Amino acid sequence: MNKPAPIAGFIILLICFSALLKAQKQIPYVNSADSIRFGIMITDTGGYAAASKLYETISDNDTNYALALIEDAIAKEALELDSDAIALCRKGLLLESDYTPDFYNTLANVYLDEGDYSTAVKLLKDTALPAYSNVHKLYYTLGLAQ
């Protein structure tokens, strides 16, 4: 009774599996809290582009991803990259996180920067304020838009 076929098959399977493990993309470790903290410090000195690059290193699987998105959207707004800021805010709104009111506020501010006051008013009155009536900065932004 010769059984070399099952052993050879197992060895080939083991070799293939180990090759797949080596081929996996290695994701570098990023301390998101430190990156965000440092990015905010850079933003405070006007280094919006450098801060934005830091925020973009944070994975969408990270627990601080929503915070990184809102900070990146704010940096993009300051850099007058309005379409990028809008895209980040819309992505952030899909997360339904604690930062959702901030995404609405930043999105409305970008619309204001573009001179699209009616869209900002509509967003705030119809969507943001009914859901977040206790967030006072939304009322402030509404006042600016009106």
Side-chain angles (χ1 to χ4, degrees):
M1 304 271 164
N2 195 0
K3 294 187 179 183
I7 294 173
F10 177 73
I11 291 172
I12 291 171
L13 184 64
L14 188 62
I15 291 170
C16 291
F17 184 70
S18 67
L20 284 174
L21 287 177
K22 288 181 182 178
Q24 285 184 343
K25 180 181 175 186
Q26 295 295 320
I27 299 172
Y29 173 75
V30 174
N31 185 330
S32 61
D34 287 345
S35 293
I36 292 169
R37 200 173 303 115
F38 188 59
I40 291 170
M41 286 175 27
I42 294 171
T43 299
D44 289 344
T45 62
Y48 301 109
S52 183
K53 287 190 187 304
L54 272 176
Y55 302 137
E56 290 170 359
T57 64
I58 298 170
S59 167
D60 59 352
N61 293 325
D62 196 294
T63 56
N64 289 321
Y65 181 64
L67 178 57
L69 275 182
I70 190 62
E71 292 296 339
D72 196 13
I74 292 167
K76 298 276 198 249
E77 178 190 6
L79 290 168
E80 298 181 3
L81 299 172
D82 293 341
S83 60
D84 292 343
I86 289 170
L88 289 169
C89 287
R90 288 184 178 155
K91 187 185 288 188
L93 288 171
L94 295 175
L95 298 176
E96 298 179 13
S97 69
D98 291 342
Y99 301 102
T100 299
D102 298 307
F103 286 114
Y104 280 122
N105 195 58
T106 302
L107 186 56
N109 280 318
V110 172
Y111 290 143
L112 293 178
D113 291 345
E114 293 181 334
D116 192 356
Y117 302 104
S118 61
T119 303
V121 169
K122 183 171 175 41
L123 173 73
L124 293 168
K125 277 188 173 181
D126 296 348
T127 309
L129 285 170
Y132 301 98
S133 59
N134 60 338
V135 179
H136 302 289
K137 66 182 166 185
L138 294 174
Y139 290 100
Y140 178 79
T141 304
L142 177 62
L144 292 174
Q146 291 178 329

